[in-house]
């Protein structure tokens, strides 16, 4: 059995990677909101923080009532309890990656966890 798994992702509006990559410590999704669209619900989490990487386009997130502008190249970390919803701009789609992990679970960083 290999110690890695590689896949290619087709262009879908939402692709979840936990099953296809056999993830055990994170949930990762690739998302595209068409121009003028939004995530259809406000949500928060019990345990998991989310890290968003905006790949393309522009839009905004409403986090605990605050409007946060988003553009390609932006990274955003949201605490579990924060209420959030994402919107694409009216004239462009918003493509982003969402990484979800248990808040406070990181026990080491690259250099302290690496075995050289």
């Amino acid at each position: 059995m290999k110690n890695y798994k590689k896949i290619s992702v087709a262009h879908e509006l939402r692709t979840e990677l936990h099953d296809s990559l056999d993830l055990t410590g994170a949930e990762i999704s690739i998302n595209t909101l068409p121009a003028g669209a939004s995530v259809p619900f406000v949500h928060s989490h019990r345990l998991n923080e989310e890290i968003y990487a905006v790949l393309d386009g522009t839009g905004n997130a409403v986090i605990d009532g605050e409007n946060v502008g988003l553009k390609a190249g932006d990274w955003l970390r949201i605490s579990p309890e924060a209420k959030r919803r994402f919107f694409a701009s009216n004239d462009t789609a918003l493509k982003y990656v969402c990484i979800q992990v248990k808040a406070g679970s990181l026990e080491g960083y690259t250099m302290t966890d690496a075995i050289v």
Side-chain angles (χ1 to χ4, degrees), residues 34-75:
S38 68
V39 172
F41 53 87
V42 174
H43 76 285
S44 61
H45 291 277
R46 286 183 285 281
L47 301 174
N48 295 339
E49 65 186 9
E50 290 180 323
I51 301 99
Y52 291 87
V54 180
L55 303 175
D56 196 30
T58 60
N60 68 292
V62 176
I63 306 167
D64 289 339
E66 182 178 339
N67 188 31
V68 178
L70 300 171
K71 66 183 182 325
D74 286 348
W75 285 80

